[in-house]
Amino acid sequence: RMINATIPGTYANKVSQALKDIYNYKTAAGLSWLGVRYVLVHINDYKNNENLLEKKNIENIAKNHGLNLVRRFEDVAVYDVVAKPLKPNIQ
């Protein structure tokens, strides 16, 4: 399942917006609730984009609750979602 390919204004888009902060400890639980098994993080996108929390160390994402680093390729890190499912709080 992909959460970053949604139509603005839809419920799916609201859910994806609630889960876009990969540093938030609730994100992994929300992804688990959706049935997501893996997260692919394009590291340079975080490092090069001010809107994507470039000031935080993307390498420490594995310490986030419920995400475990599986494999690292050149610019992509793959994380296994192991958090207990929790429905995201959608406004």
Side-chain angles (χ1 to χ4, degrees):
R1 296 179 175 128
M2 292 185 64
I3 67 159
N4 60 348
T6 60
I7 299 170
T10 63
Y11 178 73
N13 183 254
K14 290 177 183 178
V15 171
S16 74
Q17 292 301 308
L19 300 175
K20 70 180 179 179
D21 182 359
I22 200 70
Y23 294 104
N24 186 320
Y25 72 96
K26 293 181 181 180
T27 296
L31 292 170
S32 181
W33 176 78
L34 288 172
V36 174
R37 294 178 55 196
Y38 298 98
V39 174
L40 296 135
V41 176
H42 296 269
I43 295 163
N44 285 339
D45 288 349
Y46 278 79
K47 288 181 179 176
N48 297 328
N49 189 327
E50 291 179 19
N51 295 326
L52 294 175
L53 306 171
E54 85 292 352
K55 293 181 182 175
K56 294 185 180 178
N57 186 352
I58 193 67
E59 300 299 329
N60 289 331
I61 198 170
K63 294 178 182 175
N64 188 8
H65 304 277
L67 295 177
N68 289 324
L69 181 65
V70 174
R71 181 110 191 237
R72 168 83 190 267
F73 299 95
E74 290 179 26
D75 177 41
V76 177
V78 180
Y79 295 92
D80 187 19
V81 178
V82 295
K84 292 182 181 180
L86 178 66
K87 184 176 180 178
N89 184 16
I90 308 300
Q91 310 309 317

